[in-house]
Amino acid sequence: MNIRIIKLMVTVFFLSALVLWFSPQNASAAWFEPLKVHFLDVGQADSILIQTPNGKNVLVDAGDENDGPEITRYLQSQGVADIDVLVATHPHHDHIGSMDDVIRNFNVKKIYMPNLPYDTAYYHDLFKIINEKKIPVERAKAGVSFRFGFSVKMEMLAPRSSYYKYINDYSAVMKVTHGKNSFLLMADAGMESEKEMLSSKKDVRADVFKIGHHGANTGTTMAFLKAVHAKTAIISVGKNNPYHYPSKEVLYRLARRNMTTYRTDQLGVITAISNGKKITYRTNGFK
Ligand SMILES: [Zn+2]
């Protein structure tokens, strides 16, 4: 074979590799698929499903005691069979209440939770099923991070200490970044955790801010709101809840920041869809 033919063959090989790489099939497989963040409608509780462009599922919290059937139904409606990462942000019942049901109904690969043993029936039920299914449990703390494909990064910004006065401050706070878009998910973290994140100099900026502790006035301080600098606030909260969340003070601060606020008690499930540049919202309407 002479050198010209070899050169030609090499060129043809690289050109076809290039064409295959940019073919629509490959593109639809990962790069241009959206990231979806679903804020489930679980009343006075939290449950957030994140679906990445490369087909992975992350569930952050699993509602209260009776939310299992609704969470299961919703996840199945979104085609979820495997949960690649399950995060129990902290051991309060409105975050882990139905986690045992979720573990029973889906193939959970890994669980993250803060180091805070908790003597309640919910917590014991949860560990019973975790042990039965032999699911690895890792500690949720600042610095834990995951990458999903080229475009998605998730990082825990809190908890940053090993001891807190309030259990809510043990919450795993997660920042999800997809291209130019970002989400900050506070779970029930309050002032103490906010202060620590601010002094850590970590980049807390986000486009979408899932407000801490169902809008209670235990956090969402003006200093933190300014640092996050989000356009949109999401509040996961129950209709006519006995705590009167979200608090007037927090709503006032969100209004002063000119933020658009979406609430699960008014809109049901709220889904934020990111294409890496823009975020659009879908809800199942006013109830
Ligand atoms: Zn809560």
Side-chain angles (χ1 to χ4, degrees):
M1 234 186 284
N2 77 30
I3 194 90
R4 274 183 61 191
I5 293 176
I6 292 173
K7 267 187 183 169
L8 189 71
M9 280 173 72
V10 168
T11 312
V12 167
F13 173 78
F14 278 110
L15 277 177
S16 38
L18 209 64
V19 168
L20 275 175
W21 183 253
F22 285 105
S23 69
Q25 211 183 352
N26 198 349
S28 68
W31 287 10
F32 307 111
E33 286 287 308
L35 172 92
K36 289 185 189 166
V37 183
H38 310 257
F39 300 88
L40 274 67
D41 182 15
V42 284
Q44 184 53 40
D46 262 22
S47 186
I48 302 167
L49 168 68
I50 306 164
Q51 296 187 289
T52 71
N54 64 348
K56 304 289 181 194
N57 298 305
V58 176
L59 188 71
V60 182
D61 289 330
D64 212 327
E65 195 185 4
N66 298 317
D67 296 324
E70 175 56 20
I71 295 172
T72 300
R73 186 200 64 75
Y74 189 80
L75 263 57
Q76 283 170 347
S77 78
Q78 300 306 310
V80 174
D82 296 341
I83 296 174
D84 300 90
V85 177
L86 176 60
V87 181
T89 60
H90 65 299
H92 275 154
H93 58 91
D94 56 325
H95 296 253
I96 64 160
S98 290
M99 207 165 263
D100 53 340
D101 290 350
V102 167
I103 294 172
R104 218 165 271 125
N105 295 337
F106 297 89
N107 174 31
V108 175
K109 296 183 181 168
K110 207 173 203 183
I111 300 179
Y112 282 84
M113 55 173 72
N115 184 26
L116 180 65
Y118 205 55
D119 192 17
T120 61
Y122 310 101
Y123 195 77
H124 294 303
D125 285 352
L126 178 56
F127 264 89
K128 215 174 130 211
I129 186 90
I130 288 174
N131 291 332
E132 247 173 71
K133 289 215 171 188
K134 297 188 174 66
I135 304 169
V137 178
E138 303 267 350
R139 184 170 169 185
K141 57 178 183 184
V144 170
S145 73
F146 324 95
R147 276 197 177 275
F148 296 95
F150 297 104
S151 57
V152 177
K153 188 186 173 196
M154 296 188 198
E155 187 183 358
M156 290 186 193
L157 303 185
R160 309 191 72 83
S161 299
S162 350
Y163 175 78
Y164 292 98
K165 187 174 169 197
Y166 299 111
I167 284 169
N168 285 337
D169 284 321
Y170 285 86
S171 285
V173 173
M174 295 179 64
K175 182 167 176 178
V176 180
T177 310
H178 177 224
K180 287 185 175 154
N181 295 331
S182 52
F183 299 78
L184 189 64
L185 313 176
M186 292 294 284
D188 281 359
M191 269 176 235
E192 185 67 32
S193 181
E194 287 180 7
K195 239 188 248 167
E196 281 187 331
M197 281 186 268
L198 289 180
S199 52
S200 76
K201 301 276 181 264
K202 270 274 173 191
D203 185 6
V204 295
R205 272 177 306 171
D207 300 289
V208 181
F209 186 29
K210 153 65 177 60
I211 299 298
H213 197 196
H214 320 280
N217 197 19
T218 47
T220 318
T221 54
M222 204 53 174
F224 198 68
L225 275 174
K226 277 183 186 159
V228 176
H229 213 270
K231 287 193 200 80
T232 307
I234 310 270
I235 306 178
S236 187
V237 69
K239 217 175 227 177
N240 304 320
N241 66 78
Y243 317 102
H244 305 291
Y245 297 157
S247 80
K248 282 193 197 88
E249 291 86 349
V250 168
L251 292 179
Y252 175 73
R253 291 197 285 273
L254 299 179
R256 280 214 22 216
R257 298 281 314 160
N258 287 321
M259 291 167 76
T260 304
T261 302
Y262 297 125
R263 298 165 48 164
T264 56
D265 60 336
Q266 295 175 340
L267 297 164
V269 181
I270 299 157
T271 306
I273 303 162
S274 159
N275 66 1
K277 287 181 189 156
K278 260 177 65 183
I279 300 170
T280 51
Y281 296 89
R282 216 168 56 194
T283 70
N284 60 359
F286 283 89
K287 282 188 174 176

